[in-house]
Amino acid sequence: MIITLKDGSTKEYAESKSVIEIASDISEGLARMACAGEVNGEVVDLRTVVDQDCELNILTFQEEGGKAAFRHTTSHIMAQAIKRLYPTAKLAIGPSIADGFYYDMDMENPLTTDDLGKIEAEMKKIVKEALPIKRFTLPREEAIAFMKDRNEPYKVELIEDLPEGSEISFYEQGEFVDLCAGPHLMTTKPVKAFKLLSLAGAYWRGDEHNKMLTRIYGTSYTKKADLEAYITRMEEAKKRDHRKLGKELGLFMMREEGPGFPFFLPKGMVLKNTLLDYWREIHEKNGYVEISTPIMLSRHLWETSGHWDHYKENMYTTVIDETDFAIKPMNCPGGILVYQSEPRSYRDLPLRMGELGLVHRHEKSGQLHGLMRVRCFTQDDAHIFMMPEQIREEIKGVARLIDEVYSLFGFKYHVELSTRPEDSMGSDEDWEMATDALRGALDDLGLDYVVNEGDGAFYGPKIDFHLEDSIGRTWQCGTIQLDFQLPLRFNCEYIGADGEKHRPIMIHRVAFGSIERFIGILIEHFAGAFPTWLSPVQVRVLPISDKYQEYGQKVLDQLKAAGIRADMDTKAEKIGYKIREARLEKLPYMLIVGAKEEEEGKVSVRSRFLGDEGAKDLSEFLEDITEEIKARKIREVQTEE
Ligand SMILES: [Zn+2]
Ligand SMILES: [Zn+2]
């Protein structure tokens, strides 16, 4: 058989070999790092035997599939440690997740966080024992008997759910055996850097009628330094939690009366409107027109768009005059009605229609999270209608615009291209043309990108933008989605240069994604200390005492007249106290006014960036700050006061 490796090189073997044997044959170093394999795109166990020609990729911790196997193995090690310490604990499920793993256990006595250290110590022993991990299978009936024998009722239930006649796989390390589909590492030895993070309650099978189990969360890395960096990042994230800062800074609130429906407070509204002003400015500059379509539209429309059949679970509906209506979960169908409001010709294309559309989507209450996961949000949407030959240029235009937006906030980002999935609509020709155009646009722009084969929507390929915040977390925000299907469903047309009717192609795109979520990201990214142009309050005037309030008022009036968002602290407090308060509110500038300032017509400038900037003429300060706001600068912080 011939094995084609990731770099295109090949290996030839006379007989079948396991993935780990092939890894060893390539290099012992690679075999040591190997966590799983990937055969023809499918993640497999290192023990999987390959017996025919295939593409093989050895996955290390650097790849997602490898990371998952590594952490899944860590979850087994944790379960083994818990069984050693608490022999009556019953195993439920223990998968790897985005940043680590968990295991759900039925514990006789609930664990406390104090117990986590003890479990970690036992895990260290298991790692040191370097137990070989073995895989074996049993026929279903024997598997049930086996787990009954081991007194694991949850595992018995899981096996009973599997179809009759199936072979059930197990993984064994020392005295510990788990029902498991894998994949797993070869031994417990490589799992050297791990930490148990928290405890939570979780219903068996996520069903509230079932018993509440103990869920133990943890994470693991191949290197101590990476684990430590992760923990530091988590601590930093906790300090920056937008729910906490949003409350402290008076930006938004959530109420029981509207779960998942955020309230914006006056300062949050200033922030939101400032973002929207910026959005309108750059879209106008980039040749977009703005529209607004209704929040509620009739069932008939959602049937045409396909949402009524495929998305109804997530939609809120109501009845008006005996007709079903739905609150829009997306803006597209409304946008199409606007496209169809007049005959279109090739001269009108590309037609870029932006919409700051308020959409509602049902999310389970357990999934809600501050502004990051809500049930109603404003998409900074746009639909672009165009001819096939315009795709490449349009994609470039959108990608440039998104780049401009992210750069403004100091975000780095990476791009992913998702191609045709197996279950898709449209001709091969269309898909090829569209995917080539997307690739071509990214290449023209010199953007590096990852390709997610088969990850596109059924109606077209897409480009996603994942931005990286100041503490290294990534967030998917922007998307550019090509669509041949909706124009077809709605029978959209334009008259071509040939005088004939043609079908336009459509782009759906967002830059911020959801304005609400983007605000959540900005709060955490800046830790609440927004650039001056975004700050709800940009300047605070601080009179040293009551005597200087009159002069302070003059200063304030001039600031306001210049369009600066300013206020004055007139409390009968010492100046030091007022400064501390303004600092807690993370205000960019304070202007301190006393006798000397009044006499000379100056202000003493204290900023979040430089600390004491000294006395300046008010006119000079106004000039500087106006320039800073106009250019939407992010001033670097050079002081830790
Ligand atoms: Zn497992
Ligand atoms: Zn759309």
Coordinates of all heavy atoms in Angstrom, one line a residue, residues 165-204:
G165 N -26.0 -5.9 18.2 CA -25.0 -6.5 17.2 C -23.7 -5.6 17.1 O -22.8 -6.0 16.4
S166 N -23.7 -4.4 17.7 CA -22.5 -3.6 17.5 C -21.4 -4.1 18.4 O -21.6 -4.7 19.5 CB -22.8 -2.1 17.7 OG -23.7 -1.9 18.7
E167 N -20.2 -3.8 17.9 CA -18.9 -4.1 18.7 C -18.7 -2.8 19.5 O -18.7 -1.7 19.0 CB -17.7 -4.2 17.7 CG -17.5 -5.6 17.2 CD -17.1 -6.7 18.2 OE1 -16.1 -6.5 18.8 OE2 -17.9 -7.6 18.5
I168 N -18.4 -3.0 20.8 CA -18.3 -1.8 21.7 C -16.8 -1.7 22.1 O -16.2 -2.7 22.5 CB -19.1 -2.0 23.0 CG1 -20.5 -2.5 22.7 CG2 -19.1 -0.7 23.8 CD1 -21.4 -1.5 22.0
S169 N -16.3 -0.5 21.9 CA -14.8 -0.3 22.2 C -14.6 0.2 23.6 O -15.4 1.0 24.1 CB -14.2 0.6 21.2 OG -14.6 1.9 21.3
F170 N -13.5 -0.3 24.2 CA -13.1 0.2 25.6 C -11.6 0.6 25.5 O -10.9 0.1 24.7 CB -13.3 -1.0 26.6 CG -14.7 -1.4 26.8 CD1 -15.3 -2.3 26.0 CD2 -15.4 -0.9 27.8 CE1 -16.6 -2.7 26.2 CE2 -16.7 -1.2 28.1 CZ -17.3 -2.2 27.2
Y171 N -11.3 1.4 26.5 CA -9.9 1.7 26.7 C -9.5 1.4 28.1 O -10.3 1.7 29.0 CB -9.6 3.2 26.4 CG -9.6 3.5 24.9 CD1 -10.7 3.7 24.1 CD2 -8.3 3.6 24.2 CE1 -10.7 3.9 22.8 CE2 -8.3 3.8 22.9 CZ -9.4 4.0 22.1 OH -9.4 4.2 20.8
E172 N -8.3 0.8 28.2 CA -7.9 0.3 29.5 C -6.5 0.9 29.9 O -5.7 1.0 29.0 CB -7.8 -1.2 29.4 CG -7.3 -1.9 30.7 CD -7.2 -3.4 30.5 OE1 -7.3 -3.9 29.3 OE2 -7.1 -4.1 31.5
Q173 N -6.4 1.4 31.1 CA -5.0 1.8 31.6 C -4.9 1.4 33.0 O -5.7 1.8 33.9 CB -4.9 3.4 31.4 CG -5.9 4.2 32.2 CD -6.1 5.6 31.6 OE1 -6.1 5.8 30.4 NE2 -6.1 6.6 32.5
G174 N -4.0 0.4 33.3 CA -3.9 -0.1 34.6 C -5.3 -0.8 35.0 O -5.9 -1.5 34.2
E175 N -5.7 -0.4 36.2 CA -7.0 -1.0 36.7 C -8.2 -0.3 36.2 O -9.3 -0.8 36.4 CB -7.0 -1.0 38.3 CG -7.4 0.3 38.9 CD -6.4 1.5 38.8 OE1 -5.3 1.2 38.2 OE2 -6.6 2.6 39.2
F176 N -8.0 0.8 35.4 CA -9.1 1.6 35.0 C -9.6 1.2 33.6 O -8.7 1.0 32.7 CB -8.7 3.1 35.0 CG -9.8 4.0 34.5 CD1 -10.8 4.4 35.3 CD2 -9.7 4.5 33.2 CE1 -11.8 5.3 34.9 CE2 -10.7 5.4 32.8 CZ -11.7 5.8 33.6
V177 N -10.9 1.0 33.4 CA -11.4 0.7 32.0 C -12.6 1.7 31.8 O -13.4 1.9 32.6 CB -11.9 -0.7 31.9 CG1 -12.4 -1.0 30.5 CG2 -10.9 -1.7 32.4
D178 N -12.6 2.2 30.6 CA -13.7 3.1 30.2 C -14.3 2.7 28.9 O -13.6 2.4 28.0 CB -13.3 4.6 30.2 CG -14.5 5.5 30.4 OD1 -15.6 5.1 30.3 OD2 -14.2 6.7 30.6
L179 N -15.6 2.8 28.8 CA -16.4 2.6 27.6 C -16.0 3.9 26.8 O -16.2 5.0 27.3 CB -17.9 2.6 27.9 CG -18.8 2.9 26.7 CD1 -18.8 1.8 25.7 CD2 -20.2 3.3 27.2
C180 N -15.5 3.7 25.6 CA -15.0 4.9 24.9 C -14.7 4.7 23.4 O -14.2 3.7 23.1 CB -13.7 5.4 25.6 SG -13.1 7.0 25.0
A181 N -15.1 5.7 22.6 CA -14.8 5.6 21.2 C -13.4 6.0 20.8 O -13.0 5.8 19.7 CB -15.9 6.4 20.4
G182 N -12.7 6.7 21.8 CA -11.4 7.2 21.5 C -11.4 8.4 20.7 O -12.5 9.0 20.5
P183 N -10.3 8.8 20.0 CA -9.0 8.2 20.1 C -8.2 8.6 21.4 O -8.6 9.5 22.1 CB -8.3 8.7 18.9 CG -8.9 10.0 18.6 CD -10.3 9.9 19.1
H184 N -7.2 7.8 21.7 CA -6.4 8.1 22.9 C -4.9 8.0 22.7 O -4.5 7.4 21.7 CB -6.8 7.1 24.1 CG -8.0 7.6 24.8 ND1 -8.0 8.6 25.7 CD2 -9.3 7.1 24.7 CE1 -9.3 8.7 26.1 NE2 -10.0 7.8 25.6
L185 N -4.1 8.6 23.6 CA -2.7 8.5 23.5 C -2.3 7.0 23.7 O -3.1 6.2 24.1 CB -2.0 9.4 24.6 CG -2.4 10.9 24.6 CD1 -1.6 11.6 25.7 CD2 -2.2 11.5 23.2
M186 N -1.0 6.7 23.6 CA -0.5 5.3 23.8 C -0.3 5.0 25.2 O -0.4 3.9 25.7 CB 0.7 5.1 22.9 CG 0.6 5.3 21.4 SD -0.7 4.2 20.7 CE 0.0 2.6 20.9
T187 N 0.1 6.0 26.0 CA 0.3 5.8 27.5 C -0.1 7.1 28.2 O -0.4 8.1 27.6 CB 1.8 5.5 27.8 OG1 2.5 6.8 27.9 CG2 2.5 4.7 26.8
T188 N -0.1 7.0 29.5 CA -0.5 8.2 30.3 C 0.7 9.1 30.5 O 0.5 10.2 31.0 CB -1.0 7.7 31.7 OG1 0.1 7.0 32.4 CG2 -2.2 6.8 31.7
K189 N 1.8 8.7 30.1 CA 3.1 9.4 30.4 C 3.2 10.9 29.8 O 3.7 11.8 30.6 CB 4.3 8.6 29.8 CG 5.6 9.1 30.3 CD 6.7 8.2 29.8 CE 8.0 8.9 30.0 NZ 9.0 8.5 29.0
P190 N 2.7 11.2 28.6 CA 2.9 12.6 28.1 C 2.1 13.6 28.8 O 2.4 14.8 28.6 CB 2.5 12.5 26.6 CG 2.4 11.0 26.3 CD 2.1 10.3 27.6
V191 N 1.1 13.2 29.6 CA 0.2 14.2 30.2 C 0.7 14.9 31.4 O 0.3 14.6 32.6 CB -1.2 13.6 30.5 CG1 -2.2 14.7 30.9 CG2 -1.7 12.8 29.3
K192 N 1.7 15.8 31.2 CA 2.5 16.3 32.4 C 2.0 17.6 32.9 O 2.1 17.9 34.1 CB 3.9 16.4 32.0 CG 4.6 15.0 31.9 CD 6.0 15.0 32.0 CE 6.6 13.6 32.1 NZ 7.1 13.0 30.9
A193 N 1.3 18.4 32.0 CA 0.9 19.7 32.5 C -0.7 19.8 32.5 O -1.3 19.8 31.4 CB 1.4 20.8 31.6
F194 N -1.3 19.7 33.6 CA -2.7 19.7 33.7 C -3.2 20.5 34.9 O -2.4 20.7 35.9 CB -3.3 18.3 33.7 CG -2.8 17.5 34.8 CD1 -3.4 17.5 36.1 CD2 -1.8 16.6 34.6 CE1 -3.0 16.8 37.1 CE2 -1.3 15.8 35.7 CZ -1.9 15.9 36.9
K195 N -4.4 20.9 34.9 CA -5.0 21.5 36.1 C -6.5 21.3 36.1 O -7.2 21.4 35.1 CB -4.7 23.1 36.1 CG -5.1 23.7 37.4 CD -4.5 25.1 37.5 CE -5.0 25.8 38.8 NZ -4.7 25.1 40.0
L196 N -7.0 21.0 37.3 CA -8.5 20.9 37.5 C -9.0 22.3 37.9 O -8.4 23.0 38.7 CB -8.8 19.9 38.6 CG -8.2 18.5 38.3 CD1 -8.8 17.5 39.3 CD2 -8.5 18.0 36.9
L197 N -10.0 22.8 37.1 CA -10.3 24.2 37.2 C -11.6 24.5 38.1 O -11.6 25.4 38.8 CB -10.6 24.7 35.8 CG -9.3 24.6 34.9 CD1 -9.7 24.9 33.4 CD2 -8.2 25.6 35.3
S198 N -12.6 23.7 37.9 CA -13.8 24.0 38.6 C -14.8 22.8 38.7 O -14.6 21.8 38.0 CB -14.5 25.2 37.9 OG -14.9 24.8 36.6
L199 N -15.8 23.0 39.5 CA -16.8 22.0 39.7 C -18.2 22.6 39.3 O -18.4 23.8 39.5 CB -16.9 21.6 41.2 CG -15.7 20.8 41.7 CD1 -15.8 20.8 43.3 CD2 -15.7 19.4 41.2
A200 N -19.0 21.8 38.8 CA -20.4 22.3 38.5 C -21.4 21.1 38.6 O -20.9 19.9 38.6 CB -20.4 22.8 37.0
G201 N -22.6 21.4 38.6 CA -23.6 20.4 38.6 C -24.1 20.2 37.2 O -24.1 21.1 36.4
A202 N -24.4 18.9 36.8 CA -24.8 18.7 35.4 C -25.8 17.5 35.4 O -25.5 16.5 36.0 CB -23.7 18.4 34.5
Y203 N -27.0 17.7 34.8 CA -27.9 16.6 34.8 C -27.4 15.5 33.9 O -26.9 15.8 32.8 CB -29.3 17.1 34.3 CG -30.0 18.0 35.3 CD1 -30.1 19.4 34.9 CD2 -30.5 17.6 36.5 CE1 -30.7 20.3 35.8 CE2 -31.1 18.5 37.3 CZ -31.2 19.8 37.0 OH -31.8 20.7 37.8
W204 N -27.7 14.3 34.3 CA -27.4 13.1 33.4 C -28.1 13.3 32.1 O -29.3 13.6 32.1 CB -27.8 11.8 34.1 CG -27.9 10.6 33.3 CD1 -28.9 9.8 33.2 CD2 -26.8 10.0 32.5 NE1 -28.6 8.7 32.3 CE2 -27.3 8.8 31.9 CE3 -25.5 10.4 32.2 CZ2 -26.6 8.0 31.1 CZ3 -24.7 9.6 31.4 CH2 -25.3 8.4 30.8

